[in-house]
Amino acid sequence: MEVLSLLADGMLLSLQPLNLMMILIGVTVGLFIGAMPGLGSVNGVAILLPVTFLVPPGSAIIFLAAIYYGAMYGGAISSITLGIPGASTAVATTFDGRPLARQGKASLALVTAALASFVGGTVANILFTLFAPILATVALSFGPPEVFALMLLAFATFVGLGGDDIPKTVFSICFGLVLGAVGFDQISGAPRLVLFDYNGFLQGIGFLVLAIGVYGIGEMFWTIEQTRGDVTTTTPKMTAKGMAADTKEATKRGWKGTMIGSFLGFFVGILPAAGATPGSLMSYGVAKMVSRRPAEFGKGHPDGVAAPEAANNSASTGSMLPMLTLGIPGSPTTAILLGGMVIWGLVPGPRLFVDETEFVWGLIGSFYISNLAAVLMNLAFIPVFIWMLRMPFTILAPMIFVLSIAGGYAATRDMFDIWLMVGFGLGAFFLRKFDYPLAPAVLAIVLGPIAEPTLRQSLLLSSGDPSIFFTRPVAGPITIIALILIFLPGIKLVRRMRDKRKEPA
Amino acid sequence: MITRRSILALTGATILATTPMIAQAQDWQPRKPIDFVIMAGPGGGADQIARYIQSVAEQKDLTNRPLVPNNKGGGSGAEALIHVSGASDPDHTILVTLNSFFTTPLRQENLGIDIQAFTPVAMMGVDPFVLWVHKDSGITTFDDYVAKVKEMGGEYVMGGTGAGQEDSIVIAFMSGAYDLDIKYIPYDGGGAVAKDLAGQQIMASVNNPAEAKGFYEAGDFTPLLAFSDERMPAYPDVPTIKELGHDFSYYNQRAVVGAPGMSDEAAAYYQTLFTEIYNSDEWQSYLTSESLSPLWMDASEQRDYWALQVENHQKLLAALGE
């Protein structure tokens, strides 16, 4: 196997002292950048890019990839312990991670996140190693109709869930779609929904602004209201024995989510339009859909932590693929990596795998090593994160508030976003009181801006004929599955009502 | 020299050439990271250039504070123009422009953007356009292409970055000149267009060489026609539309401008900085490898160039029916 010997060379390369040091520093830095709300891998890589000019290109990209990995692990930490998404890729982790932490099972959530991330990363690395060139072709075969069909499927997984109140879910999705449409229309270039003609709306509503508002600030209000403010949240204990038990439970109850996240996340990651955030949200939806106990999702199911965490790691490896093979970044972070590669004198694109074998395999090898380093580092730090949770809520609440504000500001450096975020926090609090699910709105604001232009591009391609979504070989089956999932609950409902009517007769 | 400087101090004129300002440039230094706004999304030509410039500045340690790339491609660059116009700190806000710097304010007058209010910094070069098809289409010459488009009768699909954008102006001219009926699909950047041509989701594109080069070198793309004044050294066999008897050429400007209201000292600093980057070996070799043409101008020449381009684009857009 030629691939295996190339990979072995690559791993040896990344185990050289300089590169190994780069990996360890990168992973640690990434872990903390990821854990800081608002700062994600994008910021980490952007800030540290200049540092990499001091070392050879191979070591430089290994360093950046290690930060990228570390940040993917780190994002879960604040999502679970504080309920503030540490990065956009970890928003879905709050859905179940936070409830687990409130039940005093933060260590279970953290262990699940770490293990799922590791498996996700490993699966992605293996897929990448074995099938990189083939997968690049798959990414290319996804035109606008295929991407739209995939987005439809993502929405379907959120609508078609038993247990939830469907009209409220649909309302939540529509609310998110409207928010996602604010700003400039990509196709015509015209401004839309610029409320009160206020310029701040022109740049659109940032996804992180909504997510931090809903999950950071909204969650804080919610906790205060529920507990009347006089609680010491939970008193989780952390022992070696406890950790072993957590590992056992994480494996038992989180393996399904991990598997779904690993494969789905990777696949979504290799599509240049998507990236790790849609990948993790979609995996959460699918994990909930196939689960035997979907009602437990959102209330603290390990699968709900495992799926998005496995997916965001897997997708981050996946999004390297279009960057390296096509020269097209699959995520904002890879866009920055791409800039770095150009200055190091490497030309990303179809020739890279042929012309720069040593660089490519050194990088792939470093993925494996970084992933291993990240999981060990993460597990080692878990007691520290748990310790944070022991603080009384009176101290924790202002901390959450400050971190949320700082996180919301860091992304765009615009005060307007902060007011918007606080507004979303209040809105989320009231919607939650009326039992509206908020996750679908968050999903919609991420996927809406991908779905809308692809829908319109597809219809332009077909001169307005919607059959384009059914007749193309890849788009067709995806669309049909999505439609079945969307209408299934409706059909069930009608049948149940008919049965009821029959009974008294 | 003394008189010249005192005039400068008196009038605060920005019209002087960059050379006498070098001495002054030492006076002003950025005090915080520089908001390096890009008028396009990640992956396209403008983005590649911005990130390359940033990397050169970092590598050669030319700035005491980093340039932080900030993609604001929404609304054909309107998002970027509004962001930069309303910048709270114009001395630390600069913009990498393309021709939407001229077209977007023309097409969306309600934005209230006056480009002459921006501060000229540097013209880094102009980027030509080339018509590309996928190798598997079997089309190898522009004549084949014209024949194919006519045969398809309105079903020939091309991708681009949107109505009124640079490539759509080129496609519109070409369609008019050869009586072609093309279905045009808008994308959010030149990178996405090239990717979908590689995947044969679209049949042809008008991309900058930098965006298509990787696929061309891998043998996936065939260049058919160049819209430059002369044949490009990197593509010596590709004819220009001028050779075919049409007096038309079209380039995308790759220029850096400062926010409106930037102080003269800061403007001088950035002009010196980008002169240095422009003259670096890295930038000069980038111009060659990515087939850009040099078009160096000083600050006042840039303002004249803007006025001329606004006039030209007014005509082009009018012809497009925009």
Side-chain angles (χ1 to χ4, degrees):
Chain A
M1 284 286 276
E2 196 200 345
V3 171
L4 286 182
S5 73
L6 283 168
L7 179 65
D9 287 347
M11 281 192 185
L12 281 178
L13 199 69
S14 59
L15 284 172
Q16 285 171 0
L18 174 67
N19 294 348
L20 192 61
M21 192 180 81
M22 285 283 155
I23 288 176
L24 294 178
I25 298 175
V27 164
T28 315
V29 169
L31 206 57
F32 282 90
I33 286 177
M36 283 299 295
L39 290 184
S41 54
V42 184
N43 315 75
V45 170
I47 294 164
L48 292 163
L49 185 64
V51 177
T52 61
F53 296 125
L54 306 172
V55 293
S59 310
I61 193 140
I62 287 172
F63 180 58
L64 294 179
I67 295 175
Y68 196 15
Y69 256 106
M72 287 294 159
Y73 276 87
I77 293 161
S78 46
S79 295
I80 292 169
T81 54
L82 302 175
I84 321 170
S88 60
T89 48
V91 170
T93 314
T94 52
F95 299 167
D96 277 87
R98 180 65 183 149
L100 276 173
R102 291 169 63 111
Q103 295 157 21
K105 291 183 187 163
S107 61
L108 171 63
L110 287 167
V111 170
T112 309
L115 294 179
S117 295
F118 179 69
V119 176
T122 308
V123 168
N125 287 337
I126 293 170
L127 290 174
F128 193 114
T129 310
L130 297 179
F131 306 114
I134 305 168
L135 288 166
T137 346
V138 172
L140 281 181
S141 72
F142 264 66
E146 285 76 20
V147 174
F148 177 73
L150 196 67
M151 293 301 122
L152 199 64
L153 186 64
F155 283 118
T157 57
F158 268 67
V159 183
L161 298 171
D164 277 346
D165 187 334
I166 292 165
K168 281 181 176 169
T169 307
V170 172
F171 170 84
S172 183
I173 287 185
C174 292
F175 184 63
L177 284 176
V178 169
L179 292 179
V182 170
F184 287 105
D185 169 20
Q186 192 194 305
I187 303 274
S188 70
R192 297 186 300 196
L193 293 173
V194 179
L195 308 171
F196 318 112
D197 277 335
Y198 192 82
N199 271 352
F201 284 110
L202 275 176
Q203 49 186 292
I205 293 174
F207 158 65
L208 257 187
V209 170
L210 178 74
I212 297 183
V214 169
Y215 290 101
I217 295 177
E219 170 79 23
M220 190 186 67
F221 289 143
W222 182 254
T223 313
I224 292 173
E225 209 247 1
Q226 292 286 299
T227 57
R228 305 288 163 203
D230 60 356
V231 271
T232 314
T233 35
T234 44
T235 45
K237 280 186 231 97
M238 198 65 216
T239 55
K241 208 174 166 189
M243 206 140 147
D246 285 337
T247 310
K248 209 172 155 192
E249 195 177 349
T251 321
K252 203 172 138 203
R253 298 181 62 205
W255 69 269
K256 223 193 225 170
T258 308
M259 282 301 126
I260 291 166
S262 303
F263 287 94
L264 188 62
F266 183 78
F267 184 68
V268 175
I270 65 171
L271 302 176
T277 307
S280 66
L281 286 164
M282 285 177 72
S283 301
Y284 180 85
V286 173
K288 184 174 178 183
M289 195 174 62
V290 303
S291 172
R292 240 179 268 147
R293 292 190 187 80
E296 280 178 29
F297 275 72
K299 299 189 182 81
H301 195 297
D303 265 340
V305 175
E309 277 307 306
N312 67 24
N313 263 53
S314 181
S316 52
T317 305
S319 62
M320 296 270 184
L321 196 119
M323 177 191 84
L324 294 172
T325 56
L326 306 173
I328 296 158
S331 68
T333 313
T334 47
I336 295 168
L337 288 178
L338 196 64
M341 287 178 63
V342 175
I343 188 69
W344 300 322
L346 297 160
V347 185
R351 302 282 309 161
L352 188 75
F353 272 71
V354 187
D355 296 343
E356 301 285 348
T357 324
E358 192 184 340
F359 168 83
V360 168
W361 288 100
L363 177 64
I364 296 176
S366 82
F367 290 169
Y368 287 85
I369 312 284
S370 297
N371 194 24
L372 188 65
V375 73
L376 294 177
M377 207 77 93
N378 194 349
L379 287 173
F381 276 118
I382 284 180
V384 181
F385 304 131
I386 295 286
W387 171 80
M388 278 204 315
L389 270 181
R390 294 224 190 117
M391 279 187 276
F393 195 67
T394 38
I395 295 178
L396 216 50
M399 237 174 73
I400 292 177
F401 190 72
V402 169
L403 283 175
S404 297
I405 299 283
Y409 185 74
T412 52
R413 285 163 291 173
D414 191 344
M415 266 315 280
F416 174 71
D417 280 349
I418 299 203
W419 300 120
L420 209 56
M421 193 170 74
V422 175
F424 283 138
L426 280 170
F429 171 71
F430 288 111
L431 283 176
R432 200 164 165 188
K433 286 209 76 129
F434 296 116
D435 260 342
Y436 280 88
L438 293 165
V442 172
L443 176 92
I445 201 176
V446 176
L447 303 185
I450 303 174
E452 190 213 325
T454 48
L455 170 65
R456 289 166 70 184
Q457 284 166 342
S458 308
L459 291 176
L460 280 169
L461 275 171
S462 68
S463 309
D465 183 359
S467 69
I468 186 168
F469 298 113
F470 298 97
T471 49
R472 307 210 348 163
V474 181
I478 304 179
T479 312
I480 290 167
I481 296 171
L483 289 179
I484 293 174
L485 289 178
I486 290 174
F487 290 112
L488 202 59
I491 296 166
K492 267 189 197 159
L493 202 73
V494 171
R495 194 178 290 165
R496 212 180 304 150
M497 275 161 66
R498 201 186 294 156
D499 290 351
K500 260 187 198 160
R501 220 177 291 154
K502 274 180 194 163
E503 272 167 30
Chain B
M1 201 59 201
I2 292 163
T3 47
R4 199 185 254 195
R5 261 202 213 161
S6 48
I7 290 168
L8 184 72
L10 278 172
T11 61
T14 52
I15 313 161
L16 287 174
T18 41
T19 26
M21 292 188 183
I22 289 170
Q24 274 208 334
Q26 266 76 50
D27 304 340
W28 191 90
Q29 292 272 328
R31 292 176 305 278
K32 59 180 206 185
I34 302 153
D35 192 6
F36 194 39
V37 186
I38 304 158
M39 259 183 114
D47 184 58
Q48 288 176 15
I49 283 173
R51 293 185 190 282
Y52 188 78
I53 288 175
Q54 179 224 6
S55 304
V56 173
E58 293 289 356
Q59 195 183 35
K60 299 175 86 82
D61 205 12
L62 297 177
T63 54
N64 62 332
R65 292 285 184 278
L67 295 162
V68 183
N70 185 358
N71 290 95
K72 290 203 176 287
S76 303
E79 189 189 350
L81 290 172
I82 286 173
H83 175 79
V84 173
S85 291
S88 55
D89 187 357
D91 281 2
H92 293 90
T93 310
I94 55 177
L95 175 68
V96 178
T97 63
L98 37 159
N99 287 0
S100 46
F101 183 61
F102 312 118
T103 54
T104 300
L106 283 175
R107 295 176 62 231
Q108 297 184 43
E109 282 175 1
N110 56 340
L111 295 176
I113 299 284
D114 172 20
I115 60 164
Q116 289 292 349
F118 286 72
T119 313
V121 172
M123 170 59 95
M124 304 300 287
V126 288
D127 213 343
F129 285 92
V130 174
L131 173 67
W132 306 90
V133 291
H134 197 279
K135 173 200 65 179
D136 292 350
S137 67
I139 294 171
T140 51
T141 66
F142 184 62
D143 286 340
D144 291 354
Y145 167 82
V146 172
K148 181 74 183 169
V149 176
K150 296 211 163 169
E151 184 196 314
M152 303 268 301
E155 289 300 311
Y156 195 87
V157 179
M158 287 184 70
T161 53
Q165 294 285 71
E166 296 81 359
D167 59 83
S168 78
I169 289 174
V170 173
I171 292 173
F173 179 85
M174 184 177 76
S175 308
Y178 290 90
D179 191 25
L180 304 175
D181 189 4
I182 288 163
K183 199 184 266 186
Y184 181 82
I185 312 290
Y187 284 85
D188 68 346
V193 175
K195 178 235 152 199
D196 265 11
L197 179 59
Q200 301 199 65
Q201 307 294 337
I202 52 177
M203 299 167 190
S205 75
V206 168
N207 269 108
N208 295 125
E211 294 162 345
K213 194 176 149 217
F215 296 107
Y216 167 70
E217 284 172 355
D220 291 335
F221 285 11
T222 312
L224 296 179
L225 189 65
F227 299 91
S228 49
D229 287 313
E230 278 154 24
R231 288 194 182 204
M232 278 174 265
Y235 307 93
D237 299 330
V238 180
T240 66
I241 195 165
K242 279 198 170 174
E243 292 171 35
L244 301 180
H246 296 279
D247 186 21
F248 178 84
S249 68
Y250 194 80
Y251 292 89
N252 210 346
Q253 77 156 355
R254 301 300 184 192
V256 179
V257 304
M262 179 181 273
S263 69
D264 294 345
E265 294 78 22
Y269 172 84
Y270 291 117
Q271 284 157 358
T272 314
L273 169 68
F274 282 94
T275 308
E276 208 168 328
I277 293 174
Y278 182 85
N279 290 326
S280 68
D281 292 342
E282 285 86 355
W283 182 254
Q284 290 301 322
S285 67
Y286 186 86
L287 288 179
T288 314
S289 72
E290 306 301 317
S291 303
L292 271 76
S293 305
L295 188 70
W296 183 251
M297 290 184 219
D298 67 28
S300 72
E301 286 170 329
Q302 281 179 57
R303 281 190 185 279
D304 294 342
Y305 180 77
W306 294 354
L308 181 72
Q309 288 294 321
V310 167
E311 206 178 299
N312 285 347
H313 279 94
Q314 234 155 2
K315 285 182 205 148
L316 285 166
L317 291 175
L320 265 173
E322 278 278 327

